[in-house]
Amino acid sequence: MPDAMTDWNDLSAFAGLEAVRDQVEGAIPAAPVLVPEEWPEPVLPGTQTTPEIPADLLPTWSGAMVQAVADSTQTPPALAFMSCLAVLATVLQRRFEVSPHGSDYIEPLCLWTVSASPPGTRKSSVLGSMLGPLVRWEKLHADRMRREIIRVNAARALSKKRVERMLQDAAKAKNSDERDSLRDEIVREEAEMPDEVRAPRLFTSDSTPERLQVLLAEHGERMAVHSDEAGSFQIMGGLYSSGHANLDVYLQAHAGSPMRVDRATRAVHVDRPALSFGLLVQPGTLADVAGSKRFRDSGLLARFLWSIPDSTVGTRDVRRNTPIPSHIKEAYERGIFGLLEGWSDHIGKPKALTFTDPARELWFDFAQEVENQQGEGGRYASISDWTSKLPGALARVAAVLELAEVGLTADEVSELAMRRALQLGYLLIEHARAAFALLGTDAVDTDAAAVVRWIRTEGLEQFTRREAQKAQEGRFRSGDRLDKALDRLVDGESVREFKLIRPGLRPAKAYRVNPGLLSS
């Protein structure tokens, strides 16, 4: 090789490109100056932080109440916010629906919300404050109807006794004329018997699927379940039915599908059932009960709007006493009572709200954005069953917000209501990620957690992708599955990807480990 060679161009001209390539690949890079790498606190699988849900996404009087309850109880606004959404749906469902396309596609206005918060986070206080107007409305109507209920029940009891006596007389009749005459009297008595009168019910806290069907039939084809315990999920999981609960009533009532039950012991026919949920539960209990494959595969979990707010326990001021201002509490009750006007008189087809043109375009844009991220490798692939239902759920939310703002005369969902609903939707996506990770039904999170356990067991400061797959080949037979898990760890700043350069070998995909992952 000539002595005059001074650069790669000279070597290329003398010996060709292969010689240059050999020199580059065989070169030992100079030792870099080591500067300590800065790392944030790693976000481990299943421990994602969630954004706050601001009270001002709700209209005036309802948003003010949510913020006041959060301030009074020193709880995240998300707890009162989601409870308020469920309360609004409770008073509006079955009377209203929304038609996003202005065609045959209809969404009923029932909403399913669930917030998970640890013990001691004042869930009962939050729920009690938000449900207050519903309890008082039920009691007011029950008191007003008390004498009428007693009168009708007495009339029905007397009529049943007369029918019973006539049946006995007919059985003893000596001829057909006497028997026919008694039969006609029985028919007339039963036809004239007054219908049973019941005080209106808006919600229950604990009910089996079978009893829920009856409640829907008895109370205008609508009912809600509001509770601060996990009993509803336990019942869904088969608490009273040897582990095989009937989920159909829940799924049909969320969609508004006709319900027909014809069994030896009971018959229930409901044309347009509407069922809302407003649940506040403990994360551990929720994970134990709701994390089953059956719940996920049936689509039950995908119908809930999830809230997993950060707990305020440890940061509360024990000396602080902030009552809910009376004018805010009174405005909230007036608003709920106003939306309940005509509730007992409603019969027939729900009124359908349509979208204004700007609201429809915003909704279409959001729905397309979600759709584009649901496929294989997309941002929402691991929760695509949930995100596929999100545009429809937000159409419901937007209609509920419009009715809460404008009142029962609303005809269209405005652009403002839609913007509020979509802003909420973006926040709820992150809460849903945290929820499905909590339930153990996010397969990517489960795989990522397995990689973290391997890293910690081996005490690794860095590793290659090939090493990770080789060490866990029983789990990661598919390289694509491993890549999703590693991408999740990269997103949470648990690891960082880099190219590992080794003398004489091809560069390898590798990962540096966040020191916090090994020390936590």
Side-chain angles (χ1 to χ4, degrees):
M1 186 179 296
D3 294 337
M5 280 192 194
T6 58
D7 58 25
W8 300 118
N9 290 328
D10 291 340
L11 178 60
S12 175
F14 178 78
L17 290 175
E18 286 298 324
V20 174
R21 187 175 293 109
D22 290 342
Q23 289 290 319
V24 171
E25 291 182 352
I28 299 176
V33 177
L34 296 178
V35 178
E37 192 171 6
E38 293 187 1
W39 291 86
E41 191 70 22
V43 179
L44 300 178
T47 62
Q48 293 92 331
T49 56
T50 53
E52 185 172 294
I53 299 176
D56 60 11
L57 290 181
L58 286 167
T60 51
W61 54 270
S62 54
M65 181 63 175
V66 165
Q67 190 59 59
V69 169
D71 291 342
S72 176
T73 57
Q74 299 186 63
T75 54
L79 296 182
F81 188 106
M82 301 301 279
S83 292
C84 185
L85 265 188
V87 166
L88 292 172
T90 298
V91 302
L92 295 168
Q93 61 184 0
R94 185 58 180 82
R95 293 189 294 159
F96 296 90
E97 57 192 13
V98 63
S99 177
H101 296 171
S103 63
D104 291 339
Y105 170 39
I106 294 292
E107 290 282 354
L109 293 198
C110 44
L111 292 174
W112 291 12
T113 73
V114 58
S115 299
S117 190
T121 50
R122 300 171 180 167
K123 297 185 290 294
S124 298
S125 296
V126 170
L127 184 62
S129 295
M130 303 314 298
L131 285 181
L134 302 191
V135 174
R136 287 187 284 277
W137 186 89
E138 284 189 350
K139 186 177 186 306
L140 179 64
H141 280 71
D143 289 344
R144 287 176 180 173
M145 298 175 65
R146 182 172 174 273
R147 295 182 68 84
E148 176 67 8
I149 291 172
I150 293 172
R151 186 191 68 78
V152 169
N153 285 346
R156 285 175 59 84
L158 288 171
S159 186
K160 287 177 181 179
K161 283 291 185 183
R162 283 195 293 268
V163 168
E164 184 180 337
R165 187 178 64 251
M166 286 188 287
L167 285 170
Q168 293 173 351
D169 291 343
K172 300 174 185 177
K174 296 179 180 179
N175 56 63
S176 60
D177 289 343
E178 183 181 353
R179 192 163 39 251
D180 290 345
S181 175
L182 286 168
R183 184 185 58 201
D184 292 342
E185 283 294 322
I186 291 170
V187 170
R188 184 162 44 252
E189 187 69 43
E190 290 191 340
E192 293 175 356
M193 187 186 301
D195 292 334
E196 187 173 356
V197 176
R198 300 179 183 88
R201 288 281 305 281
L202 298 170
F203 73 97
T204 180
S205 297
D206 185 6
S207 177
T208 64
E210 293 74 23
R211 179 57 188 158
L212 203 51
Q213 290 170 333
V214 174
L215 287 172
L216 285 165
E218 291 178 347
H219 296 283
E221 302 189 335
R222 58 219 150 152
M223 186 48 57
V225 179
H226 293 274
S227 177
D228 55 1
E229 299 294 343
S232 293
F233 280 111
Q234 291 171 335
I235 292 170
M236 289 177 188
L239 178 63
Y240 302 124
S241 52
S242 303
H244 298 284
N246 174 19
L247 298 181
D248 291 348
V249 58
Y250 304 109
L251 302 177
Q252 290 168 344
H254 181 272
S257 301
M259 187 182 297
R260 295 289 184 268
V261 178
D262 294 287
R263 298 187 179 177
T265 55
R266 81 194 143 86
V268 178
H269 291 187
V270 181
D271 293 332
R272 290 172 177 262
L275 173 67
S276 287
F277 277 100
L279 305 178
L280 290 84
V281 299
Q282 296 178 16
T285 306
L286 181 63
D288 289 342
V289 176
S292 73
K293 187 173 185 294
R294 181 167 176 250
F295 275 23
R296 186 77 185 262
D297 291 349
S298 68
L300 188 81
L301 297 182
R303 287 164 166 77
F304 281 97
L305 298 177
W306 300 88
S307 164
I308 316 290
D310 294 336
S311 172
T312 57
V313 172
T315 65
R316 298 173 297 194
D317 183 351
V318 298
R319 290 184 174 83
R320 188 173 123 194
N321 179 25
T322 311
I324 300 171
S326 58
H327 70 280
I328 290 179
K329 190 183 297 186
E330 291 165 3
Y332 177 64
E333 181 160 310
R334 281 197 306 272
I336 296 298
F337 276 35
L339 295 176
L340 282 166
E341 285 184 11
W343 187 93
S344 301
D345 303 328
H346 176 75
I347 299 174
K349 187 177 179 180
K351 176 181 176 180
L353 274 65
T354 57
F355 288 174
T356 62
D357 289 341
R360 185 178 298 107
E361 286 306 308
L362 286 172
W363 184 77
F364 274 133
D365 288 345
F366 177 85
Q368 189 63 59
E369 179 184 342
V370 168
E371 176 64 26
N372 293 344
Q373 292 295 326
Q374 290 186 136
E376 189 68 25
R379 184 165 177 250
Y380 306 143
S382 66
I383 56 169
S384 60
D385 56 334
W386 184 84
T387 52
S388 66
K389 297 186 182 300
L390 183 58
L394 295 182
R396 300 181 185 203
V397 170
V400 166
L401 296 182
E402 185 70 25
L403 287 159
E405 181 74 42
V406 175
L408 302 180
T409 59
D411 295 312
E412 292 183 314
V413 174
S414 65
E415 180 181 356
L416 175 59
M418 181 58 69
R419 287 189 182 279
R420 284 174 168 169
L422 298 184
Q423 186 177 343
L424 173 64
Y426 283 114
L427 300 175
L428 291 180
I429 288 172
E430 301 309 315
H431 283 264
R433 286 180 181 278
F436 283 109
L438 170 70
L439 297 175
T441 57
D442 186 334
V444 177
D445 252 18
T446 303
D447 286 343
V451 175
V452 169
R453 287 194 296 272
W454 170 67
I455 291 170
R456 286 173 164 170
T457 300
E458 300 297 327
L460 300 175
E461 295 182 355
Q462 68 178 43
F463 61 92
T464 65
R465 177 185 179 280
R466 180 178 177 80
E467 289 169 345
Q469 187 165 15
K470 183 70 174 174
Q472 303 171 87
E473 57 186 355
R475 174 183 289 272
F476 297 117
R477 297 184 184 278
S478 163
D480 181 61
R481 181 174 169 181
L482 173 61
D483 289 338
K484 290 178 181 178
L486 292 171
D487 287 346
R488 182 65 58 87
L489 294 178
V490 170
D491 290 343
E493 288 283 5
S494 292
V495 300
R496 287 176 181 168
E497 182 182 338
F498 72 100
K499 288 291 185 184
L500 180 62
I501 307 298
R502 300 167 294 181
L505 299 174
R506 296 177 61 183
K509 180 186 281 191
Y511 296 85
R512 269 188 286 273
V513 176
N514 186 329
L517 198 66
L518 300 174
S519 61
S520 59

